Amino acid sequence: MIRVDRGDEPAALATARARRLPRAIAAVLAHGAPSPALTDELTGYDAGDVKAELYKRQHKKCAWCARRRDFSSSPVEHYRPKNGAWRHRRGEPRQVSAGHYWWLTWEWTNLLFACPRCNDKGHKGNYFPLAPDTREADVPAAPAAGASLDVGVDLGVEHPLLLDPST
């Protein structure tokens, strides 16, 4: 794993968040989290120069395996998964924390450049296990339609077993 210094958020991500987050909130209000409608809205986080900036900041390497990667075939990955967190450990029965962490989809501090292998279901995928002595952060209550999302969620209550390359 490499140390990631993301630098300043690209303007394209702020624009995407301003456009997509209200639509995600509307999907949560109408259908709940998780839902196919919400999943459809969790896009646009790789808009504009977001991926290029991560690629440059990570020295053209995957955040997880630290191998040099090709820009075009590698995805933007979320440290905390955007659509449900797999809490089980490998080899244990599947345990999914539904609804986590859709509100972080467009957060610069949650994005990483990753290779396809590290991002697949057999590797990082949506895995985000927590230490046994911790509780997961609450899912934010959906605000009234048209309101901005004041998350107010304390992610500090979680003790992830997955290292964050930026800290």
Side-chain angles (χ1 to χ4, degrees), residues 37-93:
L38 175 60
T39 299
D40 289 347
E41 296 301 335
L42 302 180
T43 62
Y45 52 86
D46 55 356
D49 58 348
V50 172
K51 182 176 171 180
E53 191 61 28
L54 287 169
Y55 186 65
K56 179 179 87 178
R57 291 280 182 170
Q58 292 176 210
H59 309 285
K60 303 179 183 179
K61 295 178 181 178
C62 171
W64 305 113
C65 69
R67 290 186 186 129
R68 278 199 176 267
R69 302 307 308 179
D70 176 49
F71 178 81
S72 63
S73 64
S74 297
V76 171
E77 164 65 353
H78 294 82
Y79 171 65
R80 283 183 165 84
K82 69 180 182 297
N83 200 12
W86 302 342
R87 300 287 191 209
H88 58 284
R89 297 209 177 129
R90 307 241 184 237
E92 295 179 355

Side-chain angles (χ1 to χ4, degrees), residues 6 12 18-20 36 38 41 68 77 81 96 105 127 162 165:
R6 289 182 190 88
R19 188 172 57 96
R20 301 301 297 192
L38 175 60
E41 296 301 335
R68 278 199 176 267
E77 164 65 353
V96 178
T105 299
Y127 279 104
L162 182 68

Side-chain angles (χ1 to χ4, degrees), residues 18-166:
R19 188 172 57 96
R20 301 301 297 192
L21 183 56
R23 293 169 64 166
I25 291 169
V28 170
L29 288 170
H31 306 283
S35 70
L38 175 60
T39 299
D40 289 347
E41 296 301 335
L42 302 180
T43 62
Y45 52 86
D46 55 356
D49 58 348
V50 172
K51 182 176 171 180
E53 191 61 28
L54 287 169
Y55 186 65
K56 179 179 87 178
R57 291 280 182 170
Q58 292 176 210
H59 309 285
K60 303 179 183 179
K61 295 178 181 178
C62 171
W64 305 113
C65 69
R67 290 186 186 129
R68 278 199 176 267
R69 302 307 308 179
D70 176 49
F71 178 81
S72 63
S73 64
S74 297
V76 171
E77 164 65 353
H78 294 82
Y79 171 65
R80 283 183 165 84
K82 69 180 182 297
N83 200 12
W86 302 342
R87 300 287 191 209
H88 58 284
R89 297 209 177 129
R90 307 241 184 237
E92 295 179 355
R94 188 172 180 163
Q95 180 185 13
V96 178
S97 182
H100 281 85
Y101 295 88
W102 65 268
W103 64 95
L104 299 175
T105 299
W106 305 273
E107 289 299 319
W108 183 235
T109 57
N110 195 43
L111 300 178
L112 299 161
F113 181 80
C115 71
R117 182 173 185 258
C118 287
N119 192 40
D120 71 20
K121 292 180 182 182
H123 295 91
K124 163 64 172 82
N126 279 6
Y127 279 104
F128 199 75
L130 301 175
D133 62 338
T134 188
R135 70 177 184 87
E136 63 186 17
D138 296 326
V139 174
S148 65
L149 180 64
D150 179 14
V151 176
V153 171
D154 182 9
L155 296 174
V157 301
E158 297 184 336
H159 300 286
L161 294 177
L162 182 68
L163 297 176
D164 182 347
S166 67

